[in-house]
Amino acid sequence: MLHDGEPNGRHPLNRPSHSAPRRPAHLLPPESSSTYDHRPYVSPRRAIPDGDSCSDSRCASPEPAPRHATWAFWLEPRFIVIAFSGVLALCTFLYPASRFDNWSTSKYFHAPEFTLTVAAIVALCLGMTLTTHVTPAPRAGRVESDAEPHVIEGWYHALGLIVVLGYVAWAVIATARGATLELFLAVIHRDMGAISFLKQRLAPVAGVTTLTQVSCIVSALGAYRYTTTRKIGKLWCFVLLTGMFRALFYAERLALMEVVIPAALVLIVTSHFMRNHRLLMNLIPVIGLAFLVIVFSASEYFRSWIFYSQSGDTSFAPWVLDRLLAYYTTSFNNNALFYSQVTGSPHPIYFTIPFVFDFPGFSSIFGAPSFGGLLPEDWWFSTLSWYATPEFNNSGSYLTPIADLGLVGGLTFWLILGIPLGYVYRRAREGSDVALIAYSTLFLGLLELPRFTYWTLGRFFPAAVALMFFMGHSMVHDESPIRMKTHHRHELRESSR
């Protein structure tokens, strides 16, 4: 809702001549709950008060207005870590060894491993808490949105084009390798071994499939763009569809989560509907758990159930629920196995920072990492074959840095990792839409901590680099003289009311 004297944000600013008097505009949206317009707020363009001159080109671009976000308790990163990772670790510790025998593995997650896992969780949460002491404090006063429309559009189209080019190149290479329509139909028909055969044709290509890994940011930008313009972007639809494609035909559930969760988080936080229905907002974790079960069940129906259904010993529903439970609890158990295998012996810290070792050209210069003469993936498969089961091959996360760096080094790793996470969350809570987009992209890593450290994987590295440039551009603009002058004007208007 626009006040009297406020220029329309949808049309270019008609600047009066220098001889014509200029009237100040009331830029802030109404704050009274009784007069608040619940329609999406359209950011007006910046008005220029009397006596001010503007030679910067940004004076002719839209100025984002303060946004109204809804933050529930379950969005707090410390809550997620404790309620999800902490509870699953406790369940794994309390489960009897006979339960693991049913999953064809021995139990390795005992009291010492549980204690170290709790210590790692505490260190991570402490790092998030220390954010207020080791990062810059926000400026006093009303916090404005820092997501300028032309910047969002630029990043959205640039990263979206990179994703499209990556998928086009990947499709050409897969076709050259022999990927045909018949192979995709075989997956849909649930033919035995169809997915494995198709994955060989769709194997990742270094430097090509890497381009597709910024899809998570494109999805978050697409969702934010929808909240401000009500336009469903083609690039946003593209990354959502390709995520579904990879989940179905490449057996890669993570690819689907990477594009669904960032978009859903942005839509939920900025939703007027959610702000007016707090009970539903608080029930989102339950809805999310149901969504996880549905996605996991659908993917397993086209994968493992093809084999297990032939035994006829159980129905699909109890089987898939037990498998989902094993999916997470064996991750903690495997993490304890990894800790027992490598602690005290020289080894590369590959599992702590795999993105460094997987970086293109690293092995050519420094040599490939080796565990007893084997590549890390081969060594881990061999270890699971001997002591556990390769069927559940997640390596876990919390004990890995402790095994690689020692107790002090491992806890320091989690402490340092928690600082940027807490900083991005704090900035988002304070009103930064750029931080909201970044936090929605990082959010999946909090959910994946029981299985692995998502943020240190090579697949997340391109998105991490893009996020640093994205937030860095926002911070530089936020401290610019033009921006700070505008912020000072808003503070003067606020104090004059």
Side-chain angles (χ1 to χ4, degrees):
M1 177 160 52
L2 300 177
H3 291 262
D4 295 336
E6 185 176 69
N8 193 328
R10 298 183 181 273
H11 302 285
L13 178 63
N14 297 320
R15 299 182 183 176
S17 62
H18 290 285
S19 59
R22 296 178 179 179
R23 295 187 304 165
H26 302 289
L27 296 180
L28 296 179
E31 298 179 359
S32 173
S33 59
S34 60
T35 60
Y36 179 73
D37 187 350
H38 289 277
R39 292 173 298 178
Y41 181 73
V42 180
S43 303
R45 287 184 179 271
R46 190 163 28 194
I48 308 174
D50 293 328
D52 284 356
S53 61
C54 183
S55 59
D56 197 292
S57 60
R58 279 172 294 186
C59 289
S61 62
E63 166 130 349
R67 295 186 57 80
H68 303 273
T70 305
W71 292 89
F73 68 94
W74 53 268
L75 289 167
E76 161 68 52
R78 290 168 295 188
F79 173 82
I80 299 170
V81 170
I82 296 173
F84 196 51
S85 294
V87 170
L88 285 173
L90 179 61
C91 292
T92 305
F93 171 64
L94 295 178
Y95 278 155
S98 59
R99 185 70 170 175
F100 291 88
D101 292 338
N102 295 335
W103 298 324
S104 303
T105 180
S106 300
K107 182 176 180 180
Y108 302 99
F109 196 77
H110 301 291
E113 292 77 16
F114 175 69
T115 302
L116 290 175
T117 300
V118 171
I121 292 176
V122 171
L124 179 61
C125 294
L126 181 60
M128 298 175 185
T129 305
L130 292 177
T131 299
T132 55
H133 302 285
V134 297
T135 56
R139 293 196 306 264
R142 190 185 183 96
V143 179
E144 298 178 32
S145 169
D146 51 1
E148 292 210 6
H150 73 280
V151 175
I152 294 296
E153 288 291 320
W155 280 93
Y156 172 74
H157 287 98
L159 294 180
L161 179 60
I162 291 175
V163 172
V164 171
L165 292 176
Y167 274 113
V168 169
W170 194 5
V172 171
I173 295 174
T175 303
R177 289 173 173 173
T180 61
L181 180 61
E182 288 75 14
L183 294 179
F184 291 97
L185 293 176
V187 174
I188 297 177
H189 295 154
R190 302 177 61 243
D191 294 344
M192 183 71 72
I195 288 184
S196 298
F197 193 71
L198 183 59
K199 288 183 69 173
Q200 296 175 5
R201 305 296 186 275
L202 299 175
V205 181
V208 175
T209 50
T210 303
L211 300 178
T212 67
Q213 295 308 133
V214 293
S215 296
C216 52
I217 306 179
V218 176
S219 185
L221 288 170
Y224 178 85
R225 188 170 174 265
Y226 171 76
T227 64
T228 56
T229 65
R230 292 302 182 225
K231 294 180 180 179
I232 302 178
K234 296 179 181 179
L235 293 173
W236 185 28
C237 294
F238 178 80
V239 298
L240 291 175
L241 290 175
T242 51
M244 295 174 60
F245 179 91
R246 291 174 68 165
L248 177 60
F249 295 105
Y250 198 65
E252 195 177 12
R253 287 182 291 258
L254 185 59
L256 178 60
M257 296 298 180
E258 284 174 329
V259 294
V260 170
I261 289 181
L265 204 65
V266 171
L267 294 175
I268 289 172
V269 171
T270 59
S271 171
H272 294 275
F273 178 81
M274 286 297 179
R275 187 166 65 251
N276 296 329
H277 297 80
R278 299 294 301 183
L279 177 60
L280 180 61
M281 182 72 172
N282 293 332
L283 290 177
I284 290 295
V286 179
I287 300 174
L289 181 60
F291 175 75
L292 171 64
V293 173
I294 292 173
V295 172
F296 184 84
S297 301
S299 60
E300 288 298 307
Y301 182 78
F302 289 95
R303 294 174 57 189
S304 305
W305 181 245
I306 298 176
F307 172 78
Y308 284 98
S309 61
Q310 297 180 355
S311 64
D313 294 336
T314 182
S315 59
F316 178 71
W319 174 85
V320 77
L321 292 177
D322 181 77
R323 191 170 182 84
L324 178 59
L325 180 63
Y327 198 61
Y328 284 99
T329 54
T330 56
S331 297
F332 285 97
N333 197 54
N334 290 345
N335 202 209
L337 173 62
F338 174 86
Y339 177 79
S340 66
Q341 289 292 309
V342 303
T343 299
S345 60
H347 64 279
I349 57 174
Y350 174 85
F351 288 89
T352 296
I353 48 174
F355 74 94
V356 174
F357 295 89
D358 292 338
F359 194 83
F362 181 90
S363 298
S364 301
I365 299 175
F366 301 100
S370 174
F371 285 78
L374 297 175
L375 293 175
E377 296 84 358
D378 297 334
W379 171 82
W380 183 236
F381 180 84
S382 176
T383 301
L384 292 177
S385 300
W386 277 99
Y387 301 101
T389 172
E391 189 172 5
F392 301 105
N393 57 7
N394 291 318
S395 60
S397 62
Y398 290 105
L399 297 179
T400 303
I402 299 177
D404 288 345
L405 306 174
L407 178 60
V408 176
L411 295 181
T412 303
F413 171 88
W414 289 114
L415 181 72
I416 295 175
L417 185 61
I419 293 175
L421 294 172
Y423 172 71
V424 173
Y425 173 73
R426 189 191 70 176
R427 287 259 300 171
R429 284 296 301 263
E430 290 166 353
S432 169
D433 287 347
V434 169
L436 169 61
I437 294 170
Y439 184 66
S440 66
T441 306
L442 297 169
F443 190 81
L444 176 62
L446 295 169
L447 302 178
E448 292 292 0
L449 277 173
R451 300 199 303 134
F452 45 73
T453 310
Y454 172 72
W455 307 299
T456 62
L457 296 180
R459 67 180 296 137
F460 185 72
F461 181 74
V465 173
L467 282 178
M468 286 189 288
F469 278 102
F470 181 55
M471 290 199 68
H473 177 272
S474 167
M475 293 175 67
V476 170
H477 169 68
D478 195 51
E479 298 298 331
S480 66
I482 297 291
R483 183 76 174 180
M484 296 186 70
K485 181 185 290 186
T486 306
H487 177 79
H488 181 62
R489 293 181 198 138
H490 287 301
E491 287 184 334
L492 292 177
R493 291 189 190 121
E494 192 72 20
S495 61
S496 65
R497 292 188 176 184

